[in-house]
Amino acid sequence: MATNNVRVREPWPLDETDTVIVRQLQRDARTPNNQLAELAGIAPSTCLARVRSLVDRGVITGFEARVDPAALGLGLQALISVSVRSGARHRMAEFSAEMRRMPDVLQLFFLGGSEDFILHIAARDSAHVRDFVLEHLSAHPFVASTRTSMVFEHVDRAVTIP
């Protein structure tokens, strides 16, 4: 699989000021710059430059609104393990890109091990999950097999700074 989407880099050490900024933005990414600067003990212009630097260095990878799938009528989540046909191994990047474009797919994991991918999907109900598997995976020419597990509870934890 092509690695054009994977960024391998050395860990970037954070000083105390960067640590304060990142911790606060993890708690509330909408913290105003003036408040963030006050918490970090620096000038607002310096704080803005620090945040931009953290983004440029890839420490902060985005600011997003988190949406509860159940609030949108997608109250069931599933993890689908996918094994790719041996003759389609050279097309794994293509398969990955195709799956990432699907609106039902919340997360995609490329694995080493017995399965090649795990898809985390949100669905209305079990019929929706079945239809997704049948239409997009079982009928897919690159897919050898799938295994579906329903998610009973999902606890999402962000990486925290030690």
Side-chain angles (χ1 to χ4, degrees):
M1 182 168 159
T3 58
N4 57 348
N5 292 326
V6 178
R7 294 185 295 176
V8 178
R9 65 172 89 82
E10 292 296 316
W12 199 284
L14 300 180
D15 65 17
E16 188 175 323
T17 301
D18 285 344
T19 300
V20 169
I21 291 169
V22 171
R23 281 188 178 143
Q24 179 58 33
L25 290 175
Q26 283 186 298
R27 281 191 288 276
D28 182 0
R30 298 184 316 164
T31 303
N33 186 62
N34 288 344
Q35 183 182 349
L36 195 57
E38 186 177 325
L39 288 169
I42 56 178
S45 59
T46 303
C47 186
L48 187 58
R50 289 281 192 130
V51 171
R52 285 184 180 150
S53 173
L54 288 162
V55 171
D56 291 345
R57 294 179 347 222
V59 174
I60 295 175
T61 58
F63 302 88
E64 61 190 37
R66 303 194 57 153
V67 177
D68 180 359
L72 302 177
L74 302 170
L76 181 64
Q77 294 183 38
L79 298 174
I80 306 168
S81 300
V82 178
S83 295
V84 173
R85 294 184 188 283
S86 60
R89 296 259 174 236
H90 65 287
R91 315 261 324 251
M92 291 174 97
E94 182 181 342
F95 176 79
S96 177
E98 182 181 338
M99 291 299 114
R100 281 184 273 135
R101 286 190 300 271
M102 302 219 151
D104 297 330
V105 176
L106 301 175
Q107 296 177 297
L108 178 136
F109 301 91
F110 175 53
L111 308 173
S114 58
E115 286 93 16
D116 297 303
F117 294 95
I118 293 180
L119 305 177
H120 177 198
I121 70 165
R124 291 180 305 280
D125 51 31
S126 61
H128 186 176
V129 174
R130 180 196 64 227
D131 291 345
F132 179 89
V133 171
L134 292 175
E135 294 171 18
H136 302 293
L137 299 174
S138 295
H140 198 290
F142 301 165
V143 174
S145 65
T146 64
R147 189 185 60 186
T148 303
S149 299
M150 299 299 177
V151 175
F152 293 137
E153 183 178 4
H154 176 232
V155 178
D156 190 17
R157 283 198 63 210
V159 174
T160 56
I161 299 173

